Amino acid sequence: MSESSGAGGGTVTPVRVVIALCLLAPFVAMLWVGSYAKVEPTFIGIPFFYWYQMAWVLISTALTMIAYVLWRRDQRGRAASRHSSTKDGGASS
């Protein structure tokens, strides 16, 4: 299987970079413990350490939804361009 015979699945596009950033951001935010390992500021009596993590649950959900929508749009666009290129390529041969 050569690269040219594939559908271009390994191509890095700006949309795919945005998808990767959306999926990577929650991991970086949660693994960088030093950035949120403190008590202040509190939010309705809850220390920062806890409410920051709970906020990232919601943020992660939103970012995952955005990544999914972008991925679906990217895949539909690739399928449409693949379909039109095979359709055009077959007509000219």
Side-chain angles (χ1 to χ4, degrees), residues 7-9 11 13 16 73-83:
T11 307
T13 62
R16 289 186 176 190
R73 185 184 304 166
D74 184 56
Q75 293 304 305
R76 276 192 224 115
R78 287 177 181 276
S81 68
R82 199 173 329 131
H83 179 67

Side-chain angles (χ1 to χ4, degrees), residues 10-93:
T11 307
V12 177
T13 62
V15 172
R16 289 186 176 190
V17 171
V18 171
I19 291 168
L21 290 175
C22 285
L23 296 175
L24 190 63
F27 290 103
V28 172
M30 289 291 92
L31 291 175
W32 187 18
V33 179
S35 69
Y36 62 93
K38 52 189 170 188
V39 175
E40 295 293 328
T42 59
F43 176 68
I44 59 171
I46 301 171
F48 181 73
F49 180 78
Y50 295 112
W51 69 258
Y52 179 83
Q53 292 177 64
M54 289 297 105
W56 270 101
V57 169
L58 300 175
I59 294 166
S60 297
T61 302
L63 289 173
T64 303
M65 287 179 6
I66 291 167
Y68 177 73
V69 169
L70 290 173
W71 180 255
R72 292 283 306 256
R73 185 184 304 166
D74 184 56
Q75 293 304 305
R76 276 192 224 115
R78 287 177 181 276
S81 68
R82 199 173 329 131
H83 179 67
S84 67
S85 68
T86 57
K87 190 177 187 182
D88 293 341
S92 64
S93 297

